[in-house]
Amino acid sequence: MHIAILTFEGFNELDSLISLGILNRIKRTGWRVSIACPSARVKSMNGVVIEAQATLEDASAADAVIVGSGMQTREIARNADLMSRLRLDPSRQLIAAQCSGTLVLAKLGLLDGVMACTDLTTRPWVEEAGIRVLEQPFFANGNVATAGGCLAAQYLAAWLIARVEGIEAARSALHYVAPVGEKDVYVARAIANISPYLPD
């Protein structure tokens, strides 16, 4: 199971790295989570430089993909060469996007006729792309999920884990990262947000 987290220049650290940390709570052979970038290194919106662990082409072949957000997402969504490298397919992949990453999915045609979540800044751009934006932190339709707000990364990670490893594995991963003294409440809230969008 390879999960690629698309991370572009100007990326939001919270989106990419919270998901990375929670997803890596799964410890089983074959489970791999990678930061996938269009270049060897990318710099975050706050100046943190990270090295790519995978390419965009690797992400297109992954079992699951999370599209993170960042300061340059509008430019990325307008970059035909860059967007052509993203060959995402919900018929064979679980696909998730956070905040402005939702705009990337919209421009790839993966949200046609589907409602979505995003952050307040990106909302008008996503609506301009013809997508109805929901006033909630998480939504999924089949194999495509979106989330709005930096700290909604937990919902995307939990949804992916629940889809692949089951709801108890998602609970366990969230419990590990939840604040002490709030673990039960934190986990319950997260599971309540993703449960309506899990297969029966």
Side-chain angles (χ1 to χ4, degrees):
M1 179 72 186
H2 179 207
I3 302 171
I5 302 173
L6 296 187
T7 304
F8 299 99
E9 191 71 20
F11 73 95
N12 184 322
E13 305 93 337
L14 294 174
D15 291 11
S16 294
L17 301 180
I18 289 174
S19 291
L20 178 77
I22 295 173
L23 288 165
N24 272 315
R25 295 308 310 155
I26 302 300
K27 306 293 184 189
R28 74 163 172 83
T29 303
W31 184 272
R32 181 166 62 105
V33 185
S34 301
I35 297 291
C37 308
S39 56
R41 290 179 185 83
V42 290
K43 183 185 289 186
S44 78
M45 59 195 295
N46 293 305
V48 176
V49 178
I50 61 172
E51 294 190 1
Q53 298 171 305
T55 65
L56 299 187
E57 289 71 24
D58 294 329
S60 294
D63 302 292
V65 178
I66 294 177
V67 184
S69 73
M71 297 292 289
Q72 299 181 26
T73 308
R74 287 183 85 188
E75 291 77 11
I76 290 161
R78 293 181 185 130
N79 185 326
D81 291 338
L82 191 56
M83 292 290 282
S84 70
R85 295 174 63 189
L86 298 175
R87 302 186 181 276
L88 308 184
D89 182 356
S91 73
R92 62 178 176 80
Q93 295 173 302
L94 294 173
I95 300 172
Q98 185 166 351
C99 297
S100 63
T102 299
L103 181 62
V104 172
L105 294 193
K107 294 297 187 180
L108 289 172
L110 298 176
L111 297 177
D112 291 349
V114 178
M115 299 172 290
C117 299
T118 190
D119 63 287
L120 299 178
T121 301
T122 309
R123 180 174 189 149
W125 309 331
V126 173
E127 290 177 334
E128 186 179 79
I131 309 303
R132 180 184 162 206
V133 175
L134 300 168
E135 188 67 27
Q136 62 190 60
F138 178 84
F139 177 79
N141 182 56
N143 288 343
V144 180
T146 54
C150 300
L151 296 180
Q154 61 176 315
Y155 301 136
L156 294 181
W159 176 77
L160 282 172
I161 293 170
R163 287 291 308 267
V164 178
E165 294 292 309
I167 194 76
E168 290 310 314
R171 286 183 199 278
S172 177
L174 289 169
H175 191 272
Y176 182 88
V177 302
V180 171
E182 300 178 359
K183 288 186 179 290
D184 291 343
V185 172
Y186 185 98
V187 172
R189 184 182 66 232
I191 296 300
N193 274 297
I194 68 168
S195 291
Y197 308 105
L198 297 174
D200 294 333

Coordinates of all heavy atoms in Angstrom, one line a residue, residues 128-181:
E128 N -15.8 29.0 -8.2 CA -15.6 29.5 -9.6 C -15.4 28.3 -10.6 O -15.8 28.4 -11.7 CB -14.4 30.4 -9.6 CG -14.2 31.1 -10.9 CD -13.0 32.1 -10.8 OE1 -11.8 31.6 -10.9 OE2 -13.2 33.3 -10.6
A129 N -14.8 27.2 -10.0 CA -14.6 26.0 -10.9 C -15.8 25.2 -11.0 O -15.8 24.1 -11.6 CB -13.4 25.2 -10.3
G130 N -16.9 25.6 -10.4 CA -18.2 25.0 -10.5 C -18.5 23.9 -9.5 O -19.5 23.1 -9.6
I131 N -17.8 24.0 -8.4 CA -18.0 23.0 -7.3 C -18.7 23.6 -6.2 O -18.4 24.7 -5.7 CB -16.6 22.4 -6.8 CG1 -15.8 21.9 -8.0 CG2 -16.8 21.4 -5.8 CD1 -16.4 20.9 -8.8
R132 N -19.7 22.9 -5.7 CA -20.5 23.4 -4.5 C -19.6 23.1 -3.2 O -19.3 21.9 -3.0 CB -21.8 22.7 -4.4 CG -22.6 23.2 -3.1 CD -23.9 22.5 -3.0 NE -24.4 22.6 -1.7 CZ -25.3 21.7 -1.1 NH1 -25.7 20.7 -1.8 NH2 -25.7 21.9 0.1
V133 N -19.3 24.1 -2.4 CA -18.5 24.0 -1.3 C -19.4 23.8 0.0 O -20.3 24.6 0.2 CB -17.5 25.1 -1.1 CG1 -16.7 25.0 0.2 CG2 -16.5 25.2 -2.3
L134 N -19.1 22.8 0.8 CA -19.8 22.6 2.0 C -19.2 23.3 3.2 O -18.0 23.5 3.3 CB -19.8 21.1 2.3 CG -20.5 20.2 1.2 CD1 -20.2 18.7 1.5 CD2 -22.0 20.5 1.2
E135 N -20.0 23.7 4.2 CA -19.6 24.3 5.4 C -19.4 23.2 6.4 O -20.1 23.1 7.4 CB -20.6 25.3 5.9 CG -20.2 26.2 7.0 CD -19.0 27.1 6.6 OE1 -18.9 27.5 5.5 OE2 -18.2 27.5 7.6
Q136 N -18.4 22.4 6.2 CA -18.0 21.3 7.1 C -16.6 20.9 6.9 O -16.0 21.2 5.9 CB -19.0 20.1 7.0 CG -18.9 19.5 5.6 CD -20.1 18.5 5.4 OE1 -21.2 18.8 5.5 NE2 -19.7 17.2 5.1
P137 N -16.0 20.2 7.9 CA -14.6 19.9 7.7 C -14.2 18.7 6.8 O -13.0 18.7 6.3 CB -14.2 19.5 9.2 CG -15.4 19.0 9.8 CD -16.5 19.7 9.2
F138 N -15.1 17.8 6.5 CA -14.8 16.6 5.8 C -16.0 16.1 5.0 O -17.1 16.2 5.4 CB -14.3 15.5 6.7 CG -14.0 14.2 6.0 CD1 -12.7 14.0 5.4 CD2 -14.9 13.2 5.9 CE1 -12.5 12.8 4.8 CE2 -14.7 12.0 5.2 CZ -13.4 11.8 4.7
F139 N -15.7 15.7 3.8 CA -16.8 15.1 2.9 C -16.1 14.1 2.0 O -15.0 14.3 1.5 CB -17.5 16.1 2.1 CG -18.5 15.6 1.2 CD1 -19.8 15.2 1.7 CD2 -18.3 15.4 -0.2 CE1 -20.8 14.7 0.8 CE2 -19.2 14.9 -1.0 CZ -20.5 14.5 -0.5
A140 N -16.8 13.0 1.7 CA -16.3 12.0 0.8 C -17.4 11.5 -0.1 O -18.5 11.3 0.4 CB -15.6 10.8 1.5
N141 N -17.1 11.2 -1.3 CA -18.0 10.6 -2.2 C -17.3 9.5 -2.9 O -16.4 9.7 -3.7 CB -18.5 11.6 -3.3 CG -19.5 11.0 -4.2 OD1 -20.5 10.5 -3.8 ND2 -19.2 11.1 -5.5
G142 N -17.6 8.2 -2.6 CA -16.9 7.1 -3.1 C -15.4 7.1 -2.7 O -15.1 7.2 -1.5
N143 N -14.5 7.1 -3.7 CA -13.1 7.1 -3.4 C -12.4 8.4 -3.4 O -11.2 8.5 -3.4 CB -12.4 6.2 -4.5 CG -12.7 4.7 -4.3 OD1 -13.1 4.3 -3.2 ND2 -12.4 3.9 -5.3
V144 N -13.2 9.5 -3.3 CA -12.7 10.9 -3.3 C -13.2 11.6 -2.1 O -14.4 11.7 -1.8 CB -13.1 11.6 -4.6 CG1 -12.5 13.1 -4.6 CG2 -12.6 10.9 -5.9
A145 N -12.2 12.1 -1.3 CA -12.5 12.9 -0.1 C -11.9 14.2 -0.1 O -10.8 14.4 -0.7 CB -12.0 12.1 1.1
T146 N -12.5 15.2 0.5 CA -11.9 16.5 0.7 C -12.1 17.0 2.1 O -13.0 16.6 2.8 CB -12.6 17.6 -0.3 OG1 -14.0 17.5 -0.1 CG2 -12.3 17.2 -1.7
A147 N -11.2 17.9 2.5 CA -11.3 18.4 3.9 C -10.9 19.9 3.8 O -10.2 20.4 3.0 CB -10.3 17.7 4.8
G148 N -11.4 20.7 4.8 CA -11.2 22.1 4.9 C -10.6 22.5 6.2 O -11.2 22.1 7.3
G149 N -9.5 23.2 6.2 CA -8.9 23.7 7.4 C -7.6 22.9 7.7 O -7.6 21.6 7.5
C150 N -6.5 23.5 8.1 CA -5.2 22.9 8.3 C -5.3 21.6 9.2 O -4.7 20.6 8.9 CB -4.2 23.8 8.9 SG -3.9 25.3 7.9
L151 N -6.1 21.8 10.3 CA -6.1 20.7 11.2 C -7.1 19.6 10.8 O -7.3 18.6 11.6 CB -6.4 21.2 12.7 CG -5.3 22.1 13.2 CD1 -5.7 22.6 14.6 CD2 -4.0 21.4 13.3
A152 N -7.7 19.7 9.7 CA -8.6 18.7 9.1 C -7.8 17.6 8.5 O -8.3 16.5 8.1 CB -9.6 19.2 8.1
A153 N -6.4 17.7 8.5 CA -5.6 16.6 8.0 C -5.8 15.3 8.7 O -5.7 14.2 8.1 CB -4.1 17.1 8.2
Q154 N -6.2 15.4 10.0 CA -6.5 14.2 10.8 C -7.6 13.4 10.2 O -7.6 12.2 10.2 CB -6.8 14.6 12.2 CG -8.0 15.4 12.3 CD -8.5 15.8 13.7 OE1 -8.5 14.9 14.6 NE2 -8.8 17.0 13.9
Y155 N -8.6 14.1 9.6 CA -9.8 13.4 9.0 C -9.4 12.7 7.7 O -9.9 11.6 7.5 CB -10.9 14.4 8.7 CG -11.4 15.1 10.0 CD1 -11.6 16.5 10.0 CD2 -11.5 14.5 11.2 CE1 -12.0 17.2 11.1 CE2 -12.0 15.1 12.3 CZ -12.2 16.5 12.3 OH -12.6 17.1 13.4
L156 N -8.6 13.3 6.9 CA -8.1 12.6 5.7 C -7.3 11.4 6.0 O -7.5 10.3 5.4 CB -7.3 13.6 4.8 CG -8.0 14.8 4.2 CD1 -7.1 15.6 3.4 CD2 -9.3 14.4 3.4
A157 N -6.4 11.5 7.0 CA -5.6 10.4 7.3 C -6.4 9.2 7.9 O -6.3 8.1 7.6 CB -4.5 10.8 8.3
A158 N -7.3 9.6 8.8 CA -8.2 8.6 9.4 C -9.1 7.9 8.4 O -9.3 6.7 8.5 CB -9.0 9.3 10.5
W159 N -9.6 8.7 7.5 CA -10.5 8.1 6.4 C -9.7 7.1 5.6 O -10.2 6.0 5.3 CB -11.0 9.3 5.5 CG -11.8 8.8 4.4 CD1 -13.1 8.3 4.4 CD2 -11.4 8.8 3.0 NE1 -13.5 8.0 3.1 CE2 -12.5 8.3 2.2 CE3 -10.2 9.1 2.3 CZ2 -12.4 8.1 0.8 CZ3 -10.2 9.0 1.0 CH2 -11.3 8.5 0.2
L160 N -8.5 7.5 5.2 CA -7.7 6.6 4.4 C -7.3 5.3 5.2 O -7.5 4.2 4.7 CB -6.4 7.2 4.0 CG -6.4 8.2 2.8 CD1 -5.1 8.9 2.6 CD2 -6.8 7.4 1.5
I161 N -7.0 5.4 6.5 CA -6.7 4.3 7.3 C -7.9 3.4 7.4 O -7.9 2.2 7.3 CB -6.1 4.7 8.7 CG1 -4.7 5.3 8.5 CG2 -6.0 3.4 9.6 CD1 -4.2 6.0 9.8
A162 N -9.1 4.0 7.7 CA -10.3 3.3 7.9 C -10.7 2.5 6.6 O -11.2 1.4 6.6 CB -11.4 4.2 8.3
R163 N -10.5 3.2 5.4 CA -10.8 2.5 4.2 C -10.0 1.3 3.9 O -10.4 0.3 3.3 CB -10.7 3.5 3.0 CG -11.8 4.6 2.9 CD -13.1 4.0 2.6 NE -13.1 3.2 1.4 CZ -13.4 3.6 0.1 NH1 -13.7 4.9 -0.1 NH2 -13.3 2.8 -0.9
V164 N -8.7 1.4 4.3 CA -7.7 0.3 4.0 C -7.6 -0.7 5.1 O -7.6 -1.9 4.8 CB -6.4 0.9 3.6 CG1 -5.4 -0.2 3.3 CG2 -6.5 1.9 2.4
E165 N -7.5 -0.2 6.3 CA -7.2 -1.1 7.4 C -8.3 -1.3 8.4 O -8.2 -2.1 9.3 CB -6.0 -0.5 8.2 CG -4.7 -0.5 7.4 CD -4.1 -1.9 7.2 OE1 -4.0 -2.7 8.1 OE2 -3.9 -2.2 6.0
G166 N -9.4 -0.5 8.2 CA -10.5 -0.7 9.1 C -10.6 0.4 10.2 O -9.6 1.1 10.5
I167 N -11.8 0.6 10.7 CA -12.1 1.7 11.6 C -11.3 1.6 12.9 O -10.9 2.6 13.5 CB -13.6 1.8 11.9 CG1 -14.0 3.1 12.6 CG2 -14.1 0.6 12.8 CD1 -14.0 4.3 11.6
E168 N -11.0 0.4 13.4 CA -10.3 0.3 14.7 C -8.8 0.7 14.5 O -8.2 1.3 15.4 CB -10.4 -1.1 15.2 CG -11.7 -1.5 15.7 CD -12.3 -0.5 16.7 OE1 -11.5 0.0 17.6 OE2 -13.5 -0.1 16.6
A169 N -8.3 0.5 13.3 CA -6.9 0.9 13.0 C -6.9 2.5 13.0 O -5.9 3.1 13.5 CB -6.4 0.4 11.7
A170 N -7.9 3.1 12.4 CA -8.0 4.5 12.4 C -8.1 5.1 13.8 O -7.5 6.1 14.2 CB -9.2 5.0 11.6
R171 N -9.0 4.4 14.7 CA -9.1 4.9 16.1 C -7.8 4.8 16.8 O -7.4 5.7 17.5 CB -10.1 4.0 16.8 CG -11.6 4.2 16.5 CD -12.4 3.2 17.4 NE -13.7 3.0 16.8 CZ -14.7 3.9 17.0 NH1 -14.5 5.0 17.7 NH2 -15.9 3.6 16.5
S172 N -7.1 3.7 16.6 CA -5.8 3.6 17.2 C -4.8 4.6 16.8 O -4.0 5.2 17.7 CB -5.2 2.2 16.9 OG -4.0 2.0 17.5
A173 N -4.7 4.9 15.5 CA -3.7 5.9 15.0 C -4.1 7.3 15.6 O -3.2 8.1 16.0 CB -3.8 5.9 13.5
L174 N -5.4 7.6 15.6 CA -5.8 8.9 16.2 C -5.5 9.0 17.7 O -5.1 10.0 18.2 CB -7.3 9.2 15.9 CG -7.6 9.4 14.4 CD1 -9.1 9.4 14.2 CD2 -7.1 10.8 14.0
H175 N -5.8 7.9 18.4 CA -5.6 7.9 19.8 C -4.2 8.2 20.2 O -3.9 8.9 21.1 CB -6.0 6.5 20.4 CG -6.1 6.5 21.9 ND1 -5.1 6.2 22.7 CD2 -7.2 6.7 22.7 CE1 -5.4 6.2 23.9 NE2 -6.7 6.5 24.0
Y176 N -3.2 7.7 19.4 CA -1.8 7.9 19.7 C -1.5 9.3 19.6 O -0.7 9.8 20.4 CB -1.0 7.1 18.7 CG 0.5 7.2 18.9 CD1 1.1 6.3 19.8 CD2 1.3 8.2 18.3 CE1 2.5 6.5 20.1 CE2 2.6 8.3 18.6 CZ 3.2 7.5 19.5 OH 4.6 7.6 19.7
V177 N -2.0 10.1 18.6 CA -1.6 11.5 18.4 C -2.5 12.5 19.2 O -2.1 13.6 19.3 CB -1.6 11.8 16.9 CG1 -0.7 10.9 16.1 CG2 -3.0 11.8 16.3
A178 N -3.6 12.0 19.7 CA -4.5 12.9 20.4 C -3.9 13.5 21.7 O -3.1 12.8 22.3 CB -5.8 12.2 20.7
P179 N -4.3 14.7 22.1 CA -3.8 15.2 23.3 C -4.2 14.4 24.6 O -5.3 13.9 24.6 CB -4.5 16.6 23.4 CG -4.9 16.9 22.0 CD -5.2 15.6 21.4
V180 N -3.3 14.3 25.5 CA -3.5 13.6 26.7 C -4.6 14.3 27.5 O -4.7 15.5 27.5 CB -2.2 13.5 27.6 CG1 -2.5 13.0 29.0 CG2 -1.2 12.7 26.9
G181 N -5.5 13.5 28.0 CA -6.7 14.0 28.8 C -7.9 14.3 27.9 O -8.9 14.6 28.3

